[in-house]
Amino acid sequence: MQRNYYQEQIETMPPEQLRALQSEKLVKQVKHVYDHVPYYRDLMDQKGVRPEDIHGVEDLHKLPFLTKNDLRDTYPYGMLAVPLADCVRIQSTSGTTGKRVIAYYTQHDIDLWEDCCARAIMAAGGTREDVVQVCYGYGLFTGGPGLNGGSHKVGSLTLPMSSGNTERQIQFMMDLKATILCCTPSYAAYLGESLKERGYKPQDNALKAGIFGAEPWTEEMRRDIEKSLGIKAYDIYGLTETSGPGVAFECEEQKGMHINEDHFIAEIIDPDTGEVLPEGSRGELVFTSLDKEAFPLLRYRTRDICVLSRKKCSCGRTHVRMSKPMGRSDDMMIIRGVNVFPSQIETVLLNEGYAPNYRIEVDRVNNSDTLDVYVELTPDQFSDTVSAITAKERALAGAIKTMLGINPVVHLVPPKSIERSEGKAVRVVDKRKLHD
Ligand code: DLL
């Protein structure tokens, strides 16, 4: 089998050697942070831990955690670990709630970030022969700049499309024969739908692979996108706080995403107690960046819930794999006492033959939680009689009840009545939060 590594020696490094490398980098990084970030120095002092106490990965648990609140409290420059003059770029989160998080980069930081994205592109089969269409947003969002830089490193022809303008995306995709598509999975689904509407079949485009991430998506959604675009769809994960996309990526095995462990140490903790959990446990993902100069976060709590696996991967990569995050711990809704992730509802919808265009509304009426699921019909499904549609609503509500244990009200709505997203899809409206 052809092996698609960007940095083979590192990506396939024996696990003991990888751990020794992490330990060596961690000792240096802790000292760098302690010496240059007063905020984190205070946290370490309060916990009674000093850089000399950290001899390697086995001592990581002694360090304090960082959370998004710490980053908000230190906005904008409180986490900077190098002189501002050494920084060449900032990126930022979308900041829908509270203050934005600003991440800063030296040229070295950007270089390593782009290496990570290049690893992801090559793992998806990318080469210098490819035409990579990047329709993640450019600008403050990390998606566009990250994949753009990775594509350059691979030597592919890069189409810096940014998000939106679907007409132009399709024109460039077809005219320039794009072979790899990079965007959010919800936008990939929309592009598939738009191509079909214009009379294109999956085999009419030159695409072979897609690199999709930035939001949770299910295996069912993957199959749907693969079918509509005629491609193999790969997952990619990352967050602004740790640089952006490329912290982890899928290989051809597609059994979890390899975390770039030469740059990041991953831990899984119990989100309630902070206790480090053994391999294979489900919990909150925590990252320590080992090489970042400007914005080196130690033990940063992502709020993403997943499982790590050290099982050997047949792709030859040795780096630990993370499962698809089901969503952030703060995406989880508690409805009538039951924990519900939007991705569970998505799984049911796609399994029942609906398109991935839906909206979930949660509210509280007379002190009781309500769950309404709006699901768009395709034009074919919409031609049914009213009684047939009512029967389908009941059947779908039953399937969701089986999955979640609570009864939703399902509304099947006309084609195109649910807004499409060009970036991260907003699927949930929790009106309870609006009343609070
Ligand atoms: O979304 C970075 C990114 C860009 C990743 C392009 C992949 C592709 P943020 O805007 O800071 O950064 O959002 C980070 O998005 O903590 C997860 O909750 C979620 N997320 C990112 N990738 C995935 C994925 C970018 N593959 C937050 N699956 C993270 C599920 C994801 N959730």
Side-chain angles (χ1 to χ4, degrees), residues 173-339:
M173 177 190 288
M174 302 311 278
D175 292 352
L176 302 182
K177 302 195 175 14
T179 54
I180 297 182
L181 178 68
C182 304
C183 60
T184 56
S186 49
Y187 192 57
Y190 180 43
L191 277 173
E193 182 188 1
S194 306
L195 282 163
K196 189 172 171 201
E197 277 169 11
R198 287 163 180 74
Y200 291 113
K201 296 196 181 57
Q203 62 273 25
D204 293 338
N205 68 62
L207 292 174
K208 61 178 188 188
I211 304 178
F212 307 131
E215 63 185 6
W217 55 309
T218 55
E219 287 300 330
E220 291 72 21
M221 180 103 164
R222 187 202 310 261
R223 284 200 290 278
D224 204 67
I225 296 171
E226 289 187 332
K227 209 162 115 207
S228 74
L229 290 172
I231 59 170
K232 184 155 170 163
Y234 293 81
D235 202 352
I236 183 167
Y237 169 88
L239 57 162
T240 313
E241 295 90 321
T242 54
S243 61
V247 171
F249 61 87
E250 268 183 345
C251 61
E252 70 267 18
E253 287 307 309
Q254 301 196 312
K255 298 212 178 82
M257 293 179 268
H258 290 282
I259 296 175
N260 284 310
E261 285 193 284
D262 53 324
H263 299 312
F264 304 100
I265 304 179
E267 299 171 274
I268 291 287
I269 62 162
D270 178 325
D272 298 323
T273 63
E275 182 202 349
V276 179
L277 300 177
E279 189 202 328
S281 318
R282 209 172 109 117
E284 180 179 348
L285 189 56
V286 173
F287 282 117
T288 293
S289 25
L290 293 170
D291 288 299
K292 297 264 304 278
E293 294 176 337
F295 193 54
L297 301 187
L298 304 180
R299 301 199 87 199
Y300 181 69
R301 293 183 59 160
T302 62
R303 295 180 293 174
D304 290 324
I305 303 291
C306 71
V307 178
L308 296 183
S309 164
R310 292 212 164 269
K311 281 203 194 90
K312 207 167 169 209
C313 185
S314 60
C315 77
R317 289 178 184 80
T318 49
H319 297 211
V320 70
R321 277 172 291 166
M322 60 182 272
S323 63
K324 264 181 178 305
M326 283 194 76
R328 294 195 151 192
S329 49
D330 44 2
D331 281 346
M332 191 186 77
M333 305 172 282
I334 301 182
I335 304 174
R336 289 174 227 150
V338 176
N339 297 350

